[in-house]
Amino acid sequence: MSFHPSSSSSCMANRNPIVTVLLQKPILVVWLVTWAVFSEAMIVSKEEYLELKRHLKFLNKPAVKSIKIDYGDIFDCVDINKQLSFDHPALKNHTIQMKPSSLPRRNGNDNFLAPVLDIGLPGEGCPKGTVPIRRVKMQELMRAHSLSDFGKKYIQNGSKPIVADYDPSSHHHWAEDNTEDGTFYGTKVAINLWEPIVPNNSEFSLAQFWLTSGPYEHLNSIEAGWSVYPRLFLDNHVRLFALWTADGYRSGCFNLNCPGFVQVSEKVPLGKRLTPASAYGGEQYEIRLLAFLDPVSKNWWLVYGDEILGYWPHTLFNSLSTKADRVQWGGEVFNPNEGIDQDMPPMCSGHFPEEGYGKACFMRKMQIVKEGNILVDAPKTSTYADVSSCYNAIDKGRLDDWGRTFFFGGPGGKCIK
């Protein structure tokens, strides 16, 4: 996918994937040509390359310490007061909330399937007063459709994101369990962890929850779960993610790739690889996530296991600033070239929910936070799969210690509605 900044470099949109290089340093030219051929990125002019560097500096704040992970990621320990979040105009003069005023009260036990994944950084994590932020690489910026689209879930089509409600050929498919409209203050869920093979850079496959409010064109949403997204991370690993939008996906982004989410955990960062993943017919793994509205500050908190990661300040939102209207749990896949020359990627294990535990993906302990900051079993829900020939969803109701449970997923392929 080509890179074309939305400002002075709009002429790039009509170029071939490999274009004339105007950079002055021959060694850099050779490196960029070699890299672009194998990464499907576009070679850019010197002016455009400098623009990329400026944006990279904006994203990657100065580090007190850096932690390199064996699979190649670097997590920078950034002063908690200087993280990218505070470049958002809605967070001007924002005072950091270091912990929620209270956690939702539990309803029943929260037993996990063993073993529980520890995804904290090596050692003690980042020093006190700093937070871990995954360092963005130049290659990741160059794979973006444009700088304004970097880190977003949906690429833009003029002023509108390319999603099903605007464009029937949006190439997204879902398998979900949804509540009826109501008043919700959060959700808690255990998500079965898989690492589906996503063969093309522009595709993704994920499993998540949604807390949403408002009409779709002005949708407010906070989302979190696991994803495999090669364009965003340059690999096929499954990773922890969180996402927000306040205007139907025109703004907001994954993780900390734009101002918004405030990280407070010193040890567990967004974008961290999740390993090991479940094996078909073998050991099963899951992650547990909780998102809830702080009854005092009205900020939306995100918790992984027992680790409080951070929050979305309520000032980012309008209709979601006091409550959510809907809760959804499930899987989503995307391929912009569907129907051209590529199939849709697998969702979760790549097997239909009818195959059951150990073979199909599940979510369990599906709970919602109701008024009074109390966790209860999810209310009446309905399953939805927009193309059942490729993906499906089956609600299992309440299963003893598993609580509210549903299975979902499928192999993908040529998905014809």
Side-chain angles (χ1 to χ4, degrees):
M1 186 68 71
S2 63
F3 164 76
H4 50 90
S6 56
S7 57
S8 62
S9 303
S10 60
C11 62
M12 296 182 63
N14 296 321
R15 292 183 183 175
N16 292 325
I18 304 298
V19 299
T20 303
V21 179
L22 302 178
L23 295 170
Q24 297 175 348
K25 297 181 180 180
I27 293 177
L28 183 56
V29 171
V30 172
W31 179 86
L32 282 172
V33 170
T34 303
W35 172 76
V37 169
F38 288 99
S39 68
E40 302 179 13
M42 174 178 281
I43 297 177
V44 297
S45 71
K46 180 179 179 180
E47 179 183 272
E48 293 156 347
Y49 179 72
L50 292 175
E51 185 177 0
L52 284 166
K53 287 189 69 175
R54 285 191 294 270
H55 194 67
L56 202 63
K57 185 177 181 180
F58 167 73
L59 293 172
N60 294 325
K61 301 300 185 183
V64 173
K65 172 185 174 182
S66 295
I67 302 172
K68 187 171 183 178
I69 309 300
D70 56 8
Y71 54 85
D73 278 349
I74 297 175
F75 289 90
D76 291 324
C77 299
V78 176
D79 185 323
I80 191 171
N81 296 292
K82 296 179 180 178
Q83 58 184 296
L84 182 64
S85 310
F86 302 120
D87 287 322
H88 196 290
L91 301 189
K92 186 178 181 180
N93 302 320
H94 178 81
T95 300
I96 297 177
Q97 184 180 0
M98 293 305 299
K99 62 181 181 179
S101 61
S102 61
L103 291 169
R105 296 194 295 277
R106 298 178 179 179
N107 177 42
N109 64 63
D110 283 318
N111 63 301
F112 255 76
L113 294 178
V116 176
L117 288 180
D118 178 7
I119 64 166
L121 292 171
E124 298 299 317
C126 284
K128 189 174 180 62
T130 69
V131 291
I133 311 292
R134 181 182 174 274
R135 186 184 299 179
V136 178
K137 301 173 183 177
M138 175 65 78
Q139 298 97 314
E140 293 163 12
L141 286 185
M142 292 184 76
R143 277 192 180 177
H145 185 261
S146 70
L147 283 184
S148 61
D149 283 332
F150 175 71
K152 288 187 170 66
K153 191 172 187 179
Y154 301 103
I155 62 174
Q156 301 292 305
N157 179 16
S159 62
K160 294 182 178 181
I162 301 176
V163 292
D165 294 65
Y166 297 130
D167 181 357
S169 61
S170 65
H171 316 301
H172 289 258
H173 296 299
W174 297 265
E176 305 170 341
D177 209 8
N178 308 314
T179 65
E180 297 178 343
D181 285 1
T183 299
F184 307 97
Y185 300 97
T187 183
K188 188 173 187 178
V189 63
I191 307 175
N192 192 200
L193 178 64
W194 294 84
E195 190 169 70
I197 296 174
V198 178
N200 298 295
N201 291 334
S202 55
E203 302 175 1
F204 69 64
S205 181
L206 55 79
Q208 65 169 82
F209 69 77
W210 292 257
L211 288 162
T212 64
S213 183
Y216 200 89
E217 287 203 15
H218 305 286
L219 185 73
N220 284 216
S221 181
I222 59 174
E223 307 168 19
W226 60 255
S227 68
V228 177
Y229 196 176
R231 171 180 288 167
L232 196 60
F233 296 110
L234 303 178
D235 60 33
N236 223 281
H237 296 319
V238 60
R239 295 169 181 269
L240 175 69
F241 83 88
L243 181 142
W244 71 278
T245 184
D247 53 10
Y249 298 103
R250 295 170 184 82
S251 65
C253 63
F254 280 99
N255 301 337
L256 301 170
N257 289 322
C258 69
F261 184 82
V262 177
Q263 176 87 17
V264 300
S265 171
E266 298 169 356
K267 190 173 175 82
V268 177
L270 293 172
K272 181 74 163 54
R273 183 183 179 187
L274 299 168
T275 184
S278 301
Y280 184 81
E283 190 99 49
Q284 298 298 295
Y285 297 86
E286 62 183 21
I287 61 173
R288 180 179 56 186
L289 293 170
L290 164 67
F292 68 98
L293 185 73
D294 189 305
V296 177
S297 70
K298 304 304 180 183
N299 296 325
W300 285 95
W301 285 89
L302 180 64
V303 182
Y304 173 89
D306 294 321
E307 181 74 12
I308 297 169
L309 301 187
Y311 61 93
W312 292 275
H314 68 90
T315 50
L316 295 173
F317 306 104
N318 38 71
S319 60
L320 197 61
S321 61
T322 57
K323 64 180 179 64
D325 297 331
R326 297 168 295 276
V327 187
Q328 300 162 277
W329 305 267
E332 179 180 356
V333 294
F334 169 67
N335 181 356
N337 298 312
E338 180 192 16
I340 301 174
D341 58 357
Q342 296 175 10
D343 292 345
M344 292 300 292
M347 181 186 292
C348 289
S349 70
H351 292 262
F352 285 112
E354 289 83 354
E355 293 193 42
Y357 175 76
K359 298 178 180 179
C361 192
F362 63 84
M363 292 193 188
R364 69 184 191 97
K365 300 295 287 186
M366 295 160 56
Q367 297 177 306
I368 58 99
V369 181
K370 68 175 188 178
E371 190 172 4
N373 210 23
I374 298 172
L375 275 164
V376 298
D377 282 348
K380 181 181 179 181
T381 58
S382 59
T383 58
Y384 168 76
D386 69 316
V387 54
S388 59
S389 62
C390 288
Y391 315 103
N392 203 6
I394 298 177
D395 192 328
K396 291 290 188 177
R398 180 175 175 82
L399 300 177
D400 297 326
D401 288 342
W402 275 45
R404 285 297 309 275
T405 302
F406 92 107
F407 284 75
F408 63 102
K414 290 179 171 52
C415 302
I416 301 174
K417 295 184 181 180

